[in-house]
Amino acid sequence: MKEALVTAVSVSEWHGQKGTYLASLDLHHAPDGFAVGQVLEGTGSTVMEDGKAVGFNASGKTVFNFASGTLAALSGKTVKFTIKPAGFGRFELEFTDWREAAQLK
């Protein structure tokens, strides 16, 4: 989703550098579109570089309980996701497991 912003509130349990997401609500804002996602399952791990945490990787499944405008195709869909670091304070989020996802990149 080019030019999209994601705001998320997540609850997770971590043991060292590995974590499990217990709950998460995601708000996705794109030009002329809005979607609300809820993580159904997910795990993550800290990405280390030179002994310092520089980001995180995560993957799991999310369901979009509501979507409108340019993101309306997401409404009611359950998709797999992956997250990887993309620079300071940034990450790349990719949705897979349904063909319309490629149109939203």
Side-chain angles (χ1 to χ4, degrees):
M1 294 185 272
K2 290 187 179 191
E3 299 180 35
L5 298 173
V6 178
T7 303
V9 175
S10 297
V11 176
S12 55
E13 179 177 53
W14 289 78
H15 297 280
Q17 294 179 0
K18 305 265 183 207
T20 301
Y21 291 88
L22 305 174
S24 183
L25 179 67
D26 312 317
L27 305 176
H28 301 260
H29 304 266
D32 299 320
F34 180 77
V36 178
Q38 176 184 350
V39 170
L40 300 174
E41 61 185 59
T43 58
S45 61
T46 305
V47 175
M48 303 294 286
E49 194 173 285
D50 297 325
K52 296 179 183 178
V54 295
F56 67 97
N57 289 321
S59 63
K61 286 184 183 178
T62 192
V63 61
F64 286 94
N65 295 313
F66 173 82
S68 64
T70 56
L71 301 181
L74 291 170
S75 189
K77 302 288 185 186
T78 298
V79 297
K80 291 181 180 178
F81 70 88
T82 58
I83 297 173
K84 61 183 179 180
F88 181 75
R90 301 177 59 89
F91 60 88
E92 182 178 303
L93 170 62
E94 182 177 2
F95 297 117
T96 59
D97 222 23
W98 62 289
R99 59 185 167 95
E100 294 93 342
Q103 299 169 2
L104 297 174
K105 284 187 177 182

